[in-house]
Amino acid sequence: RRGGADTVRVRKLFRENMEEYKARAEAVSRSEIYLDKFALSICPAEGLESPTIAGAQAANELLDIKGVEASIVLTAYNDKIYISARSIDSVNVQIIMERLGGGGHGTMAGAQMTGCSVEEALEYVKVTLNDMTEEGVI
C-alpha cells in the first residue's frame, strides 16, 4: 500500500509551473516540419522563470513526433536568441549548431545569436539547413 503515497510524492516533486508548461506546449503546437525531417519552432519566453529550459524541453518533446529526426527550438531572452537542437541519432545537430557559432554533442547541441529578431534567426537556421543539405553534410 505504501507505493501509492510514494507515487503521489514523486508526482508532486516533478510538477511544473503552469506558464512554463503552456510555453512548451505552444512551442510544440506552433512547430513546423522542415525538409521532411526537422521540427522547427519558437518558444515564447514572456513571464517564464527559465525560458531557455522551456525551449530545450520543447526540443526534446518534438523528437516524439513520427518522422522527426531532429528538432530546433529558438527562444528570445535578454537580447539573445537561444537555440536548442536535439536529435535521435540520424542527424548530427552538433555540426549544425557549430555553423551557427555554437556546439554541443551529436544528439544535443545549442547556439546563441544576437543582433536579430527570433524570426530572422529562424530564417537563418533554415538557410543553414538548406546549405548543409545541398552540401550533403546533413
Side-chain angles (χ1 to χ4, degrees):
R1 288 243 179 239
R2 186 161 155 75
D6 288 341
T7 302
V8 169
R9 224 181 338 245
V10 169
R11 175 164 275 204
K12 284 183 176 180
L13 179 69
F14 286 104
R15 291 199 316 180
E16 59 190 306
N17 174 301
M18 179 61 104
E19 293 307 312
E20 289 182 11
Y21 185 88
K22 285 181 178 180
R24 195 172 70 243
E26 185 175 331
V28 170
S29 70
R30 287 175 32 180
S31 65
E32 66 173 296
I33 303 300
Y34 192 72
L35 298 176
D36 296 325
K37 64 181 172 184
F38 296 99
L40 306 179
S41 192
I42 295 170
C43 184
E46 196 172 320
L48 300 187
E49 209 173 292
S50 306
T52 57
I53 292 174
Q57 290 171 336
N60 285 335
E61 285 189 29
L62 287 167
L63 290 180
D64 292 336
I65 299 169
K66 285 183 181 174
V68 171
E69 295 179 32
S71 61
I72 300 174
V73 177
L74 293 78
T75 308
Y77 180 62
N78 285 346
D79 299 322
K80 287 184 184 175
I81 309 301
Y82 292 86
I83 306 171
S84 292
R86 302 289 185 270
S87 75
I88 298 192
D89 63 4
S90 57
V91 174
N92 183 338
V93 290
Q94 176 183 353
I95 62 172
I96 299 168
M97 293 300 104
E98 285 174 353
R99 285 267 180 115
L100 300 172
H105 301 281
T107 59
M108 185 183 304
Q112 296 176 14
M113 296 177 73
T114 57
C116 62
S117 70
V118 70
E119 292 81 9
E120 290 167 333
L122 181 59
E123 285 306 310
Y124 188 70
V125 167
K126 289 179 179 180
V127 168
T128 301
L129 293 174
N130 289 339
D131 291 348
M132 293 180 81
T133 299
E134 286 177 21
E135 295 164 17
V137 178
I138 57 171

